[in-house]
Amino acid sequence: MIMVQAAGFSDIGKVRKANEDCFLLNEPNGLYVVADGMGGHRAGGIASRIAVKTIDACMTVQSRDSSGEDETRPPEEQSSAAKRLLQGIFAANQKIYEQSIADKSCRGMGTTVSALYLTDNSIITANVGDSPIYLMRNGEVENLYTPHTLLHERKKIPKSLEGRFSSGKLSHILTRAVGIRSDVRPNIVETPIFKDDIIVLCSDGLSGKVSKEEIRDLVYQNDSEAACRKLTDMANQRGGEDNITVIVVRIVSANGGADKSWFGRILGIPEWIGSLFGGK
């Protein structure tokens, strides 16, 4: 079993008239989600709420797999837990897309989704869009997401448009979102879980104003709830032009985490190899 200290907070910001972000903390199931909606006439808020509720419902219905079948799977194959998380995102995409077709006021709505699912042995993250997921481990910051933006995927920019947009603008143009098409392609990451890991999920209303190094420093200096408040205040102090949402999840204890982390660091080998020794 793992123990966590988690908190989340969402703020409308200083400019927007509505908050189209939505977030979820389902600590009993180890599920945490941030969704940043987009679309006219509050449709973005509808999309983000549908995404969060659908993923939560799907993951609640499906119990965690304790049969041990994942222990012998090839390293490159997704775990059953990761597949369930992906199924939740697929279901959310279908619901949002169907409502956007049925309701003219919701036409074209969509949302980013960044989700964290904790098992006894691993951190599983999945994302669509540009809402970041950061892992703080041993004082360093690692991305556990892939930004689906034109800045990150420059090869998708038509040649006729090259040079017409600044890097700042390209970073806000999404190449993927949940609900805008009948299908969706999330990115997913699985990594071993260790005691004292901290995972931060947020919308770009925070990441666009506060660097990931500043986020790291604040979450190390504060408990989860205080860190959420202080990060939100910092984003608002720097303009607050967008909605701001943040979740901070701190791993208080994890099975065998200390031994596995020590083993990998001492031998200088990848952690997934070290996790095969010296602990569950």
Side-chain angles (χ1 to χ4, degrees), residues 12-267:
I12 194 172
K14 297 295 186 181
V15 176
R16 299 291 179 90
K17 295 181 179 180
N19 191 346
E20 296 191 327
D21 287 359
C22 190
F23 74 97
L24 169 74
L25 273 71
N26 186 334
E27 295 187 64
N29 286 350
L31 179 65
Y32 308 85
V33 183
V34 166
D36 181 353
M38 58 186 186
H41 193 59
R42 300 179 184 249
I46 295 172
S48 63
R49 288 193 296 274
I50 291 174
V52 165
K53 289 180 180 179
T54 303
I55 295 169
D56 188 29
C58 287
M59 297 297 288
T60 299
V61 168
Q62 303 176 78
S63 62
R64 293 187 180 185
D65 181 9
S66 58
S67 65
E69 66 179 27
D70 283 348
E71 293 179 4
T72 58
R73 67 182 172 86
E76 67 275 7
E77 183 179 314
Q78 291 171 353
S79 67
S80 57
K83 291 175 182 176
R84 290 198 298 273
L85 182 56
L86 289 175
Q87 287 300 319
I89 295 175
F90 294 149
N93 185 78
Q94 188 65 26
K95 284 196 174 184
I96 296 168
Y97 181 73
E98 289 176 353
Q99 181 156 341
S100 71
I101 297 299
D103 186 344
K104 289 184 178 180
S105 67
C106 294
R107 197 64 50 82
M109 71 176 178
T111 183
T112 71
V113 164
S114 286
L116 164 68
Y117 184 47
L118 300 176
T119 73
D120 289 342
N121 301 305
S122 62
I123 295 168
I124 302 171
T125 59
N127 85 284
V128 180
D130 63 346
S131 296
I133 310 174
Y134 301 126
L135 170 65
M136 285 72 175
R137 178 178 288 170
N138 300 324
E140 300 188 358
V141 189
E142 177 184 350
N143 289 350
L144 293 184
Y145 79 111
T146 299
H148 299 136
T149 66
L150 279 181
L151 181 63
H152 186 76
E153 304 179 69
R154 287 181 178 271
K155 62 183 180 181
K156 295 185 178 181
I157 303 174
K159 290 185 178 181
S160 60
L161 297 180
E162 288 182 1
R164 292 179 57 184
F165 297 99
S166 66
S167 294
K169 288 184 178 180
L170 292 177
S171 68
H172 292 289
I173 301 175
L174 297 181
T175 56
R176 300 185 207 177
V178 174
I180 60 173
R181 297 185 180 90
S182 59
D183 62 342
V184 68
R185 292 186 298 116
N187 277 88
I188 193 153
V189 176
E190 296 186 65
T191 188
I193 192 168
F194 297 120
K195 180 180 179 294
D196 298 326
D197 282 349
I198 303 173
I199 306 98
V200 176
L201 302 86
C202 62
S203 62
D204 65 350
L206 176 66
S207 61
K209 293 294 182 181
V210 184
S211 71
K212 60 184 180 181
E213 290 78 18
E214 290 174 314
I215 293 174
R216 174 201 60 198
D217 293 345
L218 269 174
V219 299
Y220 273 126
Q221 295 164 8
N222 299 274
D223 63 27
S224 297
E225 184 173 355
C228 288
R229 296 282 181 172
K230 290 184 179 182
L231 287 168
T232 301
D233 289 344
M234 184 178 292
N236 274 322
Q237 290 165 5
R238 295 177 180 180
E241 291 90 354
D242 201 353
N243 306 143
I244 305 159
T245 300
V246 57
I247 296 174
V248 177
V249 181
R250 192 183 310 269
I251 310 302
V252 178
S253 67
N255 286 338
D259 291 339
K260 289 184 288 185
S261 182
W262 173 85
F263 182 90
R265 287 201 303 271
I266 293 297
L267 296 185

